[in-house]
Amino acid sequence: MDLLDTLTAKGLRGEVPTREEALAVLATTDDELLDVVAAAGKVRRRWFGRRVKLNYLVNLKSGLCPEDCSYCSQRLGSKAEILKYTWLKPEQAADAARAGVAGGAKRVCLVASGRGPTDRDIDRVTDTMAAIKDADPAVEICVCLGLLSDNQAERLKAAGADAYNHNLNTSENTYGSITKTHTYADRVDTVQKAHGAGLSACSGLIAGMGESDEDLVDVVFALRELGSDSVPVNFLIPFEGTPLAKEWNLTPQRCLRILAMVRFVNPDTEVRIAGGREVHLRSMQPLGLHIANSIFLGDYLTSEGQAGQTDLDMIKDAGFEVEGAGEATLPRHRADIAEAVAASGCGTTASSCGTAASSSGTAASACGSGGGCGPCGGHAHTPAEATTAEGTEAAVPQDDELRSDLVKVRRRGAGTELAPNA
Ligand code: SF4
């Protein structure tokens, strides 16, 4: 059986491929691309039908971060001319959230820059969540505040948070080259704290930082092990004024191969196309919907996306539908695990706390995972180091493919007087 037949069969059973198979997806050629998308699409439709979950970002506190994540426009020393403001008032954040929900978003993602929240910050977010849920109790709220201290996840859960985001971003081996002020282990710990408190874990990666195929596969398998319910796939937005401003390592084809690999390793998990969708997939975005079952509506934390209505038109034109508030995102067996975790307070890695049986009795991991700051961009080694699994040089964009013209700093929505894009 050839690679794609094997991956499809495994994905339909909810089975995880081998590491070698995941690497082989990244090594496929452009001639094979539509076959790769079709194979991943079968797996996507098996578990998620033609639904697209919409998520809406509200940046509660922008810029001024003491951490040094190389990919981030909000980092210490960033010269990126982004919006900078401190905590939005609860009613300001609720107004922005309402715009996203009115535009079709099922989940609101409340994000604040910084190493991690103080207990006073947890109070602020508690008030903000109350303001949002007062207006619409059905809205899902995911919180992203950085590294959590003991009991903060429990406080967020008690205050009504549904999920916590903290991305692993890249492999353990390369984490130290993108950030010096905290470690990969810190990030894993926060994911586990969130999961242990019964919050759904949202944790993903950033591609395009000069990482190798092995790095990408490492982080995606690590996310599977942690039991992330939602895996945001960010494509580095190389902001001028950050250390990674010149890192243009992605093509639309490469992005689709990465998404397909993430889907095969996480057949029954929410896979979200996150920051960098418009910048790197460009006119190929609709093909991404055949692989991922979730996107952000409208703008990102510090950059502008395409118009919210354009997102909605794209979904409809591609033959998909926006997931409704009353519809479950995860397949039943995964939702059962999430509920069991919430009830038990189990927050360890997947291997230690049970498996999820698919309809054919195969296993998917359950516990753990985390978040961190969301779709602000990303990087690691030099582009010249990027290699495929076969050791051949990956396609690197030519000068005319450097699309810094597509990077638009956010100037509307939260923290401004202008209406949000939703
Ligand atoms: S990713 Fe988060 S912690 Fe890192 S610099 Fe950006 S805002 Fe700060």
Side-chain angles (χ1 to χ4, degrees):
M1 189 180 284
D2 82 358
L3 172 71
L4 295 177
D5 288 342
T6 300
L7 289 168
T8 303
K10 286 187 174 182
L12 294 177
R13 295 194 298 265
E15 286 179 28
V16 176
T18 65
R19 182 184 163 80
E20 289 67 33
E21 288 165 343
L23 283 166
V25 173
L26 297 179
T28 52
T29 66
D30 286 352
D31 286 345
E32 298 166 304
L33 185 62
L34 285 182
D35 295 327
V36 171
V37 173
K42 286 180 188 163
V43 177
R44 180 248 203 263
R45 289 193 301 280
R46 164 71 179 88
W47 299 109
F48 300 95
R50 303 187 75 83
R51 303 188 309 277
V52 178
K53 179 177 180 179
L54 293 179
N55 308 271
Y56 192 70
L57 284 159
V58 179
N59 200 354
L60 299 177
K61 174 172 170 282
S62 183
L64 312 168
C65 185
E67 300 294 290
D68 72 348
C69 308
S70 309
Y71 53 83
C72 182
S73 58
Q74 307 184 80
R75 76 191 293 270
L76 179 71
S78 169
K79 300 285 190 293
E81 295 179 349
I82 59 166
L83 294 172
K84 296 186 181 75
Y85 54 86
T86 189
W87 292 92
L88 296 184
K89 292 186 169 58
E91 53 273 24
Q92 292 174 310
D95 282 349
R98 252 191 302 278
V101 173
K106 177 179 184 180
R107 171 174 287 194
V108 169
C109 306
L110 301 177
V111 187
S113 62
R115 178 179 174 84
T118 63
D119 287 344
R120 171 75 186 109
D121 295 337
I122 299 289
D123 292 339
R124 295 179 213 272
V125 176
T126 295
D127 294 344
T128 298
M129 288 193 289
I132 293 170
K133 292 229 175 188
D134 275 353
D136 185 353
V139 68
E140 287 181 13
I141 298 182
C142 181
V143 182
C144 177
L145 308 174
L147 300 171
L148 291 174
S149 304
D150 288 347
N151 299 318
Q152 290 184 326
E154 286 76 7
R155 289 188 61 202
L156 290 169
K157 173 72 179 172
D162 298 286
Y164 195 83
N165 166 263
H166 199 69
N167 296 326
L168 294 185
N169 289 330
T170 192
S171 70
E172 183 171 14
N173 280 344
T174 57
Y175 199 83
S177 65
I178 63 163
T179 301
K180 305 285 186 218
T181 48
H182 59 264
T183 65
Y184 180 90
D186 291 333
R187 287 200 166 244
V188 170
D189 177 67
T190 282
V191 176
Q192 292 177 335
K193 279 190 168 84
H195 215 183
L199 293 164
S200 177
C202 174
S203 186
L205 63 143
I206 303 171
M209 301 194 290
E211 69 282 338
S212 67
D213 285 1
E214 285 78 5
D215 290 324
L216 286 173
V217 168
D218 282 353
V219 69
V220 174
F221 273 87
L223 292 165
R224 181 73 190 179
E225 275 293 300
L226 272 173
S228 186
D229 292 323
S230 170
V231 177
V233 181
N234 292 281
F235 301 111
L236 175 70
I237 301 173
F239 271 94
E240 288 298 330
T242 68
L244 305 186
K246 305 302 175 202
E247 300 292 342
W248 288 90
N249 307 316
L250 296 167
T251 62
Q253 293 79 11
R254 170 84 170 157
C255 294
L256 290 170
R257 277 191 281 273
I258 291 168
L259 286 171
M261 184 272 285
V262 176
R263 169 57 71 204
F264 288 127
V265 178
N266 295 276
D268 52 3
T269 298
E270 177 183 336
V271 174
R272 184 181 313 168
I273 314 176
R277 164 164 60 91
E278 296 89 338
V279 174
H280 293 291
L281 276 168
R282 303 193 286 275
S283 60
M284 304 296 268
Q285 291 179 64
L287 280 184
L289 296 178
H290 286 271
I291 305 172
N293 63 298
S294 178
I295 63 171
F296 284 104
L297 173 72
D299 292 342
Y300 302 93
L301 295 176
T302 61
S303 65
E304 293 185 356
Q306 64 190 14
Q309 187 58 50
T310 305
D311 288 336
L312 299 176
D313 291 344
M314 174 180 75
I315 290 166
K316 188 175 178 191
D317 291 349
F320 293 88
E321 58 198 33
V322 174
E323 186 171 285
E327 296 180 282
T329 299
L330 293 176
R332 190 62 242 173
H333 67 274
R334 292 285 315 229
D336 288 345
I337 291 167
E339 285 165 15
V341 169
S344 69
C346 169
T348 58
T349 56
S351 55
S352 65
C353 50
T355 57
S358 73
S359 58
S360 57
T362 54
S365 54
C367 297
S369 123
C373 304
C376 4
H379 173 85
H381 334 272
T382 65
E385 291 175 86
T387 56
T388 68
E390 308 300 318
T392 55
E393 246 185 59
V396 172
Q398 303 302 302
D399 283 350
D400 62 355
E401 294 174 303
L402 307 184
R403 298 305 308 271
S404 48
D405 60 305
L406 296 178
V407 179
K408 292 190 175 66
V409 172
R410 183 172 68 83
R411 299 282 179 224
R412 59 193 174 193
T416 78
E417 298 298 317
L418 301 178
N421 170 28

